[in-house]
Amino acid sequence: MSARKKKITKAERLKQLQEEEERRQKEEEEARVKHEKEEMERLERQRIEREKWHQLEAKDLERRNEELEELYLLEECFPEAEKLKRDTRLLSQWNHYIQCDGSPDPSVSPEINTFISLWKEETNETLEEVIAKSKLVLNLIEKLRLLLLQTPSYDLEDKTIIQYRGSILELQELLHLKFNVATERLLRQASTLADLDSGNMEKVIQDENVTLYVWANLKKNPRYRSVRFSETQIRFEIPRILATSGIAIRLLHTHYDHATPLRPVSASLQGHTATVTHFVKDEVQKGEAEISKELQEEYKQQECESVSVCEEETKVEEQGDIEVQMSFVQEESEATKCKLEMKLLSEAVFAAQLLLIENANEKPCFCEDNEVDLCQFTTLGGVYHLDIFELPPQCKPMKGWMIVEILKEGLQKYIYPPESTEDFETENAFPPIEVTLEVQENVIFFEDPMVARWDAEGKHWQTDGISNVLYQSEERLITFSLETFGPVTLIQDTHINMPFQSWELRPLDVNKVLLTVTTVFTEIQIQIKENLCMLASVKVDNKKHSSTLEGRWMTPISLILALKETGLNIFPTGHSHFYVVINHKEPLVEIKAYRQLALLSSAFAFGWSKWNVECSSKKVIVKLREHLTEEEPVQDPNWTLLMFSGDRAQRLKINENSETFSEALKEETEFHSTLYHLVKDFASKEAMEKIRSSKCQFIDSVCYMLLSTRLLSYS
């Protein structure tokens, strides 16, 4: 039998409770003391950090003016580069003048007007002659386009812009008219050029800028319903009514787009730069007035002193001193004037750069149904001008002569379907015409292209009247049914490669860098060397893709235009933010970052950081490392993270692999007002020497590509 447990008395229970209460109070007191100690330590750490932060801020503020003055001197490379561009434009005009090759200077109104007038008078050209002449015409149009794009708005007057745009439109219209006139001449001779087997005429002319296909229905055989041009994949399935009519089908594939209207010049661009220009010009005039006033006072003072001297010899000596001092003051005047003019140019260049990254406030309105939004879509692969013509009267041999009737109204279009169909019995007498076209080889479509037709009345592209679209990417063929003939084009989403997944800017050599932009579909590498750029390589779906642009050095603007025309568009516009989810950054912060990254690009590699999305719109974050040799990029390089707000730069404590974002300053580092002075703290002497010896044109070109891609907002 187990012993009974001894019963606890009331006094013992009270004692136990008292001991437990004392223990609890003791633990609470210890916890409170510990918490207070920790809190005091935390507050002390915060106080020390605040003091350190205030000291760093005070130190940064103390040297800010000095750092900004040094940055201003370094950034004089931008106006210097602009001066060199001006000289290049003037030299180009002079070189054209001394060549005396008979071609007009498109920027000189009398010359281009004379060229147009003389060509209008030539009315008996063959298609081959027109195609040969079109090379010169396209070259003139391209020169005018580049003049409008490359010449800053502050160097272009309104009347000059109107003149250039007018010349472009006139040349485009005249070129197309010449193709029509030459086509009429060819069709008059269709019967003499007929194929022996089919009895119809077929003609194909291929050129680097134009491909022309002409078919004349001479036999009018109702069973001949499939028109296919020999040795090509171009095909038309025509209805019975066309197969039995005296018609000709022409496909003029221009590898350029002269149908889409020229984009209007931004009013904000003209107004903003004009404001800056007038403001700084006023400063120049003000400075010149002050200099002139000082000069006059100095002259009067010296003149009074010379009158008070009695001796003739002394008078002569004093006069000599006056001339020396006058010369010195004039030199000072010229130096001050030059300085103010440089300030004028610097401000104007900055304003023009700022406009490259400014976002439009309103989305463009497209009122018509099915109208193509040209801010959202881009035409690619040129324009396919599809036309059905009435066959003109044919040449007839007569007593050794060729007699031909020339119609006063010229080549007439065959209206299909006709405006009135009441006279036709069958309901489906005018079905859509099936067309198969070859897609230009050097154009990349990342998705199946859409087909758009030109609305001549509304002057825009639209997508109605087109059905049964089938794209064969391997064969590069597109088939569709068209209700009525006219110009058609292929369109792709302008922003298909935006936003970017990552980017890197890496030095290759002296004044030479490699810019790599990676998107969902492609990786594009662009080399920048002094004032030129080149497409280095393209990868599509991680496979090497050959492009006709690879290895061709050209100006940044020319390369950007060429890449856009081939479908490799990584260049946002002012309206792109309406169509792409972007990581918005303040324009002033963004432009200052690009300018300073360009300054450092000859000695430092920069890259995309995932933390750039986490910081506010008033700050940007990039990763950086010193890179002085041309070796291949390291797989896991030791990157440093920099944060920049436009007026303060700092190194971050976190790295790319950190789990959470923090703006904490890296230990034993300081704030600086510029990225240049920040990297000076840890850069090698060799790196800083490379930065200081970089050419102004190289820095300007790198900056222009950064501004054009807007990597900090679109990655």
Side-chain angles (χ1 to χ4, degrees):
M1 187 175 176
S2 61
R4 287 186 181 179
K5 289 184 179 179
K6 188 178 179 182
K7 191 174 181 182
I8 300 172
T9 64
K10 190 174 182 182
E12 287 174 338
R13 183 176 292 278
L14 286 170
K15 187 178 179 181
Q16 280 182 359
L17 290 171
Q18 189 176 358
E19 286 174 355
E20 285 176 7
E21 179 65 21
E22 286 173 358
R23 188 167 53 251
R24 186 183 63 78
Q25 288 178 357
K26 186 179 179 182
E27 287 173 356
E28 285 180 357
E29 180 65 19
E30 286 174 353
R32 185 186 63 78
V33 170
K34 185 181 177 183
H35 176 72
E36 284 181 357
K37 186 180 178 183
E38 287 176 352
E39 184 65 16
M40 285 176 68
E41 287 174 354
R42 186 183 66 82
L43 292 171
E44 181 64 17
R45 281 198 306 271
Q46 283 185 350
R47 185 188 66 77
I48 292 168
E49 284 176 7
R50 271 198 307 272
E51 280 185 7
K52 188 179 177 183
W53 188 274
H54 291 318
Q55 286 172 3
L56 290 171
E57 282 186 328
K59 192 174 180 181
D60 177 37
L61 196 62
E62 186 182 336
R63 63 190 173 200
R64 173 161 294 178
N65 289 338
E66 185 183 335
E67 289 186 350
L68 291 177
E69 282 175 14
E70 190 175 356
L71 178 68
Y72 179 79
L73 292 173
L74 288 168
E75 288 189 339
E76 281 187 349
C77 62
F78 295 113
E80 284 291 345
E82 188 54 46
K83 284 172 72 176
L84 289 171
K85 286 184 206 171
R86 282 180 179 176
D87 293 342
T88 303
R89 288 193 291 271
L90 291 171
L91 184 63
S92 175
Q93 288 182 329
W94 173 248
N95 287 338
H96 182 274
Y97 176 75
I98 62 175
Q99 272 178 355
C100 297
D101 59 357
S103 64
D105 183 344
S107 64
V108 179
S109 185
E111 288 190 31
I112 196 68
N113 289 341
T114 302
F115 172 80
I116 291 169
S117 299
L118 291 174
W119 198 28
K120 281 180 179 177
E121 292 173 5
E122 297 176 25
T123 56
N124 205 27
E125 293 167 292
T126 63
L127 279 167
E128 288 81 2
E129 288 171 339
V130 172
I131 288 173
K133 191 73 168 276
S134 71
K135 292 178 183 178
L136 172 59
V137 175
L138 293 172
N139 185 40
L140 296 174
I141 291 171
E142 187 63 20
K143 281 183 179 179
L144 287 169
R145 274 182 74 201
L146 288 175
L147 277 172
L148 286 170
L149 289 168
Q150 290 180 339
T151 310
S153 56
Y154 48 80
D155 277 351
L156 273 178
E157 295 181 3
D158 289 348
K159 64 177 183 181
T160 306
I161 295 171
I162 293 167
Q163 175 201 319
Y164 289 174
R165 290 168 67 87
S167 297
I168 289 172
L169 290 171
E170 211 168 342
L171 286 167
Q172 289 176 347
E173 289 169 5
L174 182 56
L175 180 58
H176 195 70
L177 175 66
K178 287 289 181 178
F179 275 116
N180 287 347
V181 173
T183 301
E184 181 186 8
R185 181 180 175 183
L186 174 70
L187 291 176
R188 286 199 219 109
Q189 305 167 27
S191 56
T192 62
L193 302 171
D195 180 68
L196 294 175
D197 295 331
S198 65
N200 296 319
M201 187 212 79
E202 178 188 305
K203 179 104 174 164
V204 178
I205 305 174
Q206 292 187 326
D207 185 70
E208 59 181 315
N209 299 313
V210 174
T211 308
L212 185 73
Y213 307 87
V214 183
W215 177 80
N217 188 17
L218 300 169
K219 282 294 181 182
K220 304 175 188 174
N221 186 345
R223 289 178 297 178
Y224 197 90
R225 307 270 291 274
S226 183
V227 179
R228 179 170 177 174
F229 289 91
S230 56
E231 299 181 8
T232 74
Q233 298 293 319
I234 304 291
R235 192 176 73 251
F236 299 92
E237 298 295 332
I238 59 175
R240 180 184 177 86
I241 192 166
L242 291 180
T244 56
S245 301
I247 54 113
I249 294 176
R250 183 189 71 177
L251 165 58
L252 173 63
H253 179 200
T254 59
H255 301 174
Y256 48 83
D257 178 6
H258 286 175
T260 305
L262 296 171
R263 294 203 175 208
V265 178
S266 170
S268 63
L269 179 110
Q270 289 177 314
H272 193 69
T273 49
T275 304
V276 173
T277 305
H278 290 316
F279 170 73
V280 188
K281 273 184 179 174
D282 287 343
E283 284 199 7
V284 172
Q285 289 171 359
K286 193 174 170 185
E288 285 178 353
E290 286 177 4
I291 292 162
S292 178
K293 191 176 178 182
E294 285 176 11
L295 194 65
Q296 287 173 7
E297 286 176 0
E298 185 76 23
Y299 179 77
K300 283 177 183 177
Q301 186 182 346
Q302 296 294 338
E303 197 176 45
C304 291
E305 288 177 5
S306 64
V307 169
S308 64
V309 179
C310 301
E311 291 85 359
E312 192 66 33
E313 295 84 358
T314 312
K315 212 180 235 187
V316 173
E317 287 175 10
E318 289 294 328
Q319 189 64 37
D321 290 342
I322 291 168
E323 289 174 5
V324 169
Q325 289 178 28
M326 284 283 290
S327 174
F328 176 72
V329 173
Q330 284 174 347
E331 283 175 10
E332 275 194 336
S333 164
E334 286 298 318
T336 309
K337 184 180 176 183
C338 186
K339 202 173 180 181
L340 287 168
E341 284 177 353
M342 185 60 82
K343 184 181 179 183
L344 163 67
L345 188 56
S346 182
E347 292 284 347
V349 167
F350 186 87
Q353 289 177 339
L354 188 59
L355 284 164
L356 286 173
I357 61 170
E358 276 195 347
N359 294 327
N361 294 322
E362 294 181 3
K363 188 175 180 179
C365 178
F366 294 89
C367 305
E368 297 289 332
D369 293 337
N370 302 306
E371 182 179 349
V372 175
D373 179 351
L374 289 176
C375 290
Q376 184 178 5
F377 295 97
T378 302
T379 63
L380 288 177
V383 177
Y384 300 87
H385 297 267
L386 297 166
D387 295 292
I388 305 174
F389 296 115
E390 295 178 3
L391 267 179
Q394 296 298 294
C395 296
K396 295 177 182 177
M398 187 175 291
K399 297 180 181 180
W401 292 80
M402 291 297 289
I403 307 299
V404 62
E405 179 187 355
I406 298 176
L407 301 175
K408 187 178 180 181
E409 56 271 18
L411 193 63
Q412 294 296 299
K413 286 194 175 184
Y414 182 94
I415 307 300
Y416 180 91
E419 294 174 1
S420 174
T421 57
E422 294 176 359
D423 300 336
F424 298 91
E425 297 177 2
T426 56
E427 193 174 308
N428 199 24
F430 303 97
I433 300 171
E434 187 180 290
V435 180
T436 300
L437 302 175
E438 294 177 351
V439 177
Q440 204 172 323
E441 285 185 10
N442 65 330
V443 175
I444 301 174
F445 286 99
F446 297 100
E447 292 178 347
D448 289 358
M450 292 185 286
V451 184
R453 66 177 184 86
W454 180 248
D455 180 359
E457 289 184 11
K459 301 291 181 187
H460 57 247
W461 295 103
Q462 55 189 59
T463 54
D464 62 335
I466 300 163
S467 57
N468 306 322
V469 179
L470 174 65
Y471 179 58
Q472 298 165 265
S473 57
E474 293 295 324
E475 295 83 3
R476 297 190 69 79
L477 296 175
I478 190 160
T479 303
F480 54 91
S481 298
L482 198 60
E483 291 179 7
T484 181
F485 267 29
V488 298
T489 190
L490 308 181
I491 58 175
Q492 179 172 257
D493 185 353
T494 303
H495 309 98
I496 197 165
N497 284 310
M498 300 177 208
F500 316 129
Q501 291 187 321
S502 66
W503 61 271
E504 183 180 304
L505 182 68
R506 178 165 58 90
L508 293 178
D509 203 348
V510 180
N511 296 311
K512 188 176 181 181
V513 297
L514 180 71
L515 174 64
T516 304
V517 180
T518 305
T519 73
V520 173
F521 296 102
T522 182
E523 180 190 274
I524 299 170
Q525 291 192 326
I526 298 169
Q527 280 189 26
I528 306 169
K529 180 181 70 175
E530 296 187 8
N531 62 331
L532 298 173
C533 299
M534 175 190 77
L535 179 65
S537 75
V538 179
K539 285 182 183 177
V540 178
D541 296 328
N542 294 318
K543 295 177 184 176
K544 172 77 175 167
H545 178 85
S546 60
S547 170
T548 54
L549 295 177
E550 283 183 45
R552 291 169 54 190
W553 290 99
M554 53 187 86
T555 62
I557 289 178
S558 297
L559 180 66
I560 289 169
L561 291 174
L563 287 172
K564 285 181 176 180
E565 287 169 2
T566 58
L568 297 170
N569 191 351
I570 53 170
F571 308 100
T573 66
H575 294 97
S576 293
H577 62 287
F578 292 117
Y579 309 99
V580 184
V581 178
I582 69 167
N583 178 23
H584 174 69
K585 299 296 178 185
E586 291 291 331
L588 274 175
V589 176
E590 200 174 352
I591 190 175
K592 286 180 180 180
Y594 293 142
R595 285 163 70 99
Q596 293 182 41
L597 290 179
L599 280 170
L600 303 172
S601 62
S602 56
F604 287 89
F606 297 93
W608 168 84
S609 170
K610 67 180 182 182
W611 301 120
N612 189 42
V613 182
E614 300 295 329
C615 65
S616 72
S617 62
K618 294 181 179 180
K619 296 172 183 175
V620 297
I621 295 175
V622 296
K623 58 185 184 182
L624 161 146
R625 68 184 177 92
E626 192 173 299
H627 189 104
L628 298 175
T629 56
E630 200 182 339
E631 82 274 358
E632 288 298 312
V634 185
Q635 290 301 320
D636 293 306
N638 186 22
W639 292 101
T640 297
L641 288 184
L642 304 183
M643 186 168 73
F644 182 56
S645 64
D647 55 9
R648 174 176 289 173
Q650 69 179 78
R651 294 173 72 180
L652 294 179
K653 190 175 181 179
I654 58 170
N655 57 41
E656 278 298 291
N657 300 318
S658 300
E659 292 183 1
T660 56
F661 175 66
S662 169
E663 293 187 3
L665 185 71
K666 188 176 176 68
E667 296 89 347
E668 299 180 2
T669 63
E670 298 179 352
F671 298 129
H672 284 277
S673 299
T674 74
L675 289 171
Y676 172 78
H677 292 92
L678 180 67
V679 301
K680 268 179 82 174
D681 285 350
F682 58 88
S684 66
K685 287 183 180 179
E686 189 183 351
M688 297 312 295
E689 184 58 38
K690 283 188 80 172
I691 290 168
R692 283 189 285 266
S693 62
S694 298
K695 290 189 177 179
C696 62
Q697 289 177 303
F698 162 73
I699 296 169
D700 183 68
S701 297
V702 174
C703 184
Y704 189 86
M705 290 304 292
L706 292 175
L707 289 164
S708 299
T709 48
R710 296 193 64 186
L711 301 169
L712 296 172
S713 285
Y714 280 81
S715 296

